């Protein structure tokens, strides 16, 4: 129980440490056009995950029909 308490306490201290940092200028990424690259990568990853889940679902459905 003590280990869990220390673990949670260390996470809280880490969170407070991260909140104490100065924020990055949000327009810095926009001014260099890198925000569009980040968005393109996120959309590509999300699309890939969705396509993968749809394919897995169709394969599972096909196996279930074959089993019945």
């Amino acid at each position: 129980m003590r280990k869990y308490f220390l673990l949670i306490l260390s996470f809280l201290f880490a969170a407070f440490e991260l909140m104490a940092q100065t924020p990055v200028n949000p327009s810095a990424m926009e001014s260099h056009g890198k925000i569009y690259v980040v968005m393109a990568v996120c959309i590509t990853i999300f699309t890939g995950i969705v396509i993968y889940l749809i394919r897995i679902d169709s394969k599972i459905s096909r196996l279930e029909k074959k089993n019945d």
Side-chain angles (χ1 to χ4, degrees), residues 38-49:
V38 172
M39 289 301 297
V41 169
C42 289
I43 290 171
T44 304
I45 291 171
F46 181 73
T47 305
I49 290 172

Side-chain angles (χ1 to χ4, degrees), residues 46-60:
F46 181 73
T47 305
I49 290 172
V50 168
I51 290 171
Y52 175 73
L53 289 175
I54 290 171
R55 288 185 63 200
I56 292 292
D57 184 46
S58 66
K59 288 179 182 180
I60 290 174

Side-chain angles (χ1 to χ4, degrees), residues 8 26 35 37 48 50-51 57 64-67:
I8 292 171
I35 191 73
V37 174
V50 168
I51 290 171
D57 184 46
E64 286 174 346
K65 286 180 184 177
K66 187 178 177 181
N67 244 355

